[in-house]
Amino acid sequence: MGSLTYYPNHVSFTCDKGFLLRGSEVRACQANRTWSGMNTRCEAVDCGPLAAPRNGSMSGSLTVYPNTKTFTCDRGFELLGSSLRRCTPSGLWDGTNAICRAVDCGPLSPPMNGTLSGHLTVFPNSFSFSCDEGFDLLGSSVRQCTAERRWSGTQTTCKAVDCGPLTVPVNGSSAGSLTYFPNKISFECDKGFLLDGSRVRVCQENRKWSGETTTCNAVDCGPLSIPLNGSRTGSLTIFPNVVKFSCDEGFDLLGSSVRQCTSKGQWDGNTASCKAVDCGPLAAPMNGSSVGNLTVFPNIIKFSCDEGFDLLGSSVRQCTSTGKWAGSKTSCKAVDCGPLPVPLNGTRVGSLTFYPNTMTFACDEGFLIRGSVTRRCQLNRRWSGTRTTCNAVDCGPLATPVNGSLAGDATTFPNIIRFTCDEGFDLLGSSARKCMPSRKWNGTLTSCKGKHVIHLMSSEDLGASSVHHQYVIDTSSLHHLNGNGRYPEGDKKGNLSKKCFIMLLLSDESRLRRGVRPPRFECENMHLKRSMEWDENYVQSNKILKNNIQVPLVAVDCGPLPSPRNGSMEGSRTFFPNKITFRCDKGFTLKGSSTRVCQANRAWSGETTTCQAVDCGRLNAPVNGSMIGALTVYPSVISFSCDEGFDLLGSSLRKCTSEGRWDGSSTSSVDCGPLSAPTNGSKIGSLTYYPNKVWFKCNKGFLMRGSQVRACQANQRWNGTRTSC
């Protein structure tokens, strides 16, 4: 207190509550410019040390005002007194002394039929338990008081020792069900059984039953013998077992088939024996005989048939164990040679096909019989003679008329041959002739008469320089001449046949053009001979004609043309200058020449004609399917099918039409395209084609919006709405 620092003023000092003043309480400024007294300071009061409680701890080391100390107890101990103490200005600690006391888990009772050792119930003491003899300890044998004021382990009890279950003897019974010390179980056997072992057994302290194992043994009736031709099933001869008897195949059992050992030690029933079964008598078949007369198992009887008879059924029959004859009934039937066909164009008399019947054959008018007229069924099951046929009579071949042709090559009854003449020739006689039953052709002889078209051959064969020419000449200007070079009386028109010959050179052609009468000809030895009655100038200017030159007179023939497959042709004349026209059936395209002309060089104009089927082009197998058929031309058909689990869309059958297009509609399986899994979700199903489905699922904590299931439809779209989570 005081702020003046010059002489002779003074300053006074005081300390705060809880602090003690050390040094001068008052100091004066002296004449020598120094303060009187000693330095002044304030020191905190000290409350002195505090001890940590036993089984506990203390935090805080300063003991002066205003510091504190905190107290805690170890695990399993509880604090009594102040947990916090402060040093006061008076120099004393506030509160009360801290003490740590062990927690108490409370008392434990000894188990029934047992004892307990130990008496302290506070932490960390323990109790030990034990059971009386004959008892097992269940639960904890030692229990300790824990820091949580609870006893460790589980409750302790003493349970009597258990000797375990005793098996009730087969064919016996027991009285008593308790299996622990000191209980007992009694036994007795059923009727027909004798007790072996202990009748009463007690559960002992050592967990074992007293006495010996108890069994019930059946009484024994003794062995039974096996019957002759039989067998026995079962070898046990004690009560209540049974023994079964059976007889061998073909034997009947007499006596008891089953015998049981009774409780009296005797077998019930009668002694078993076996007797052979009897199948009864068998009669010999009509038209046959039998060998053997024993009818009991396992004897046999043999059968045979008289000559000419077949044995039907079994040739050997055995008496079986079932008392029936094996095989089928035996009979004798006449041997059968089998049916004979009626010859084509003939008849048959007789229908019985077995020995010794006969069949007779005859042929229709116009047919001759070949083979046997009568055939007999023989013992060897074969028909006598040879196969019978009716062959049409043959009228023999007909000659093709000169300058003509015939159609038909069959010369037997009732075939017909038709005749035609080449262009430029008239048909004389019958145009069709039929082979008659009399082996003769009806109608009259056919021939072809020449018309007005004459073909003059080239003179190249004679070494001349002439070329090939064709002329149309009025046959009225050509005459037959007599040997004296005169016209025959009344013969104003010559008849030229294909067997005659003629020749004109180039100069002859020019004379014809000027209207000059052509040279005369005569037919000599089937050749036309130029008359020597010539114009002298004509002869002198053509020295080569002084000789009797002979050249064949022929109509040029190019030969037949084949009708194209899957097409047709119009025109049948194959000589110059005729033409033939071709066309193809619907669905086929013509390749080559549609019209061909017979040319003077004996060759047909154009190219070979064919009819090719139109091609509809390649078809592909549908995805997830297959197709059958590889040909793509008219009228081919291709079939389609889908794999299992797929529906076919479009046509299952498609045919290549005559227009070169496939009928029906395109075949395919419908694909709706992929669907993505929703964000924060998943999808089940990956197949995207009709009629498959896809399922959607959202993760936990997310709600589904849209369709949970979507199906691929036939219109290539997914049903439902887009799925989101």
Side-chain angles (χ1 to χ4, degrees), residues 69-122:
K69 287 185 181 286
T70 303
F71 300 91
T72 57
C73 291
D74 297 338
R75 188 168 176 269
F77 293 86
E78 56 186 356
L79 190 139
L80 299 178
S82 300
S83 60
L84 180 69
R85 298 186 72 183
R86 183 188 299 273
C87 180
T88 65
S90 64
L92 298 173
W93 295 98
D94 65 2
T96 58
N97 286 338
I99 300 171
C100 290
R101 185 177 68 182
V103 297
D104 195 331
C105 294
L108 285 175
S109 301
M112 185 181 292
N113 300 310
T115 57
L116 171 151
S117 64
H119 60 280
L120 296 177
T121 60
V122 295

Side-chain angles (χ1 to χ4, degrees), residues 3 32 48 51 54 104 127 163 168-169 199 260 267 274 354 362 397 399 494 537 583 611 634 670 702:
S3 59
N32 61 358
R54 186 178 179 185
D104 195 331
F127 281 84
C163 294
V168 178
R199 187 173 295 276
Q260 184 176 29
W267 291 102
C274 294
F354 47 85
N537 294 330
R583 71 168 179 266
C611 292
Y634 172 83
V670 173
F702 291 86

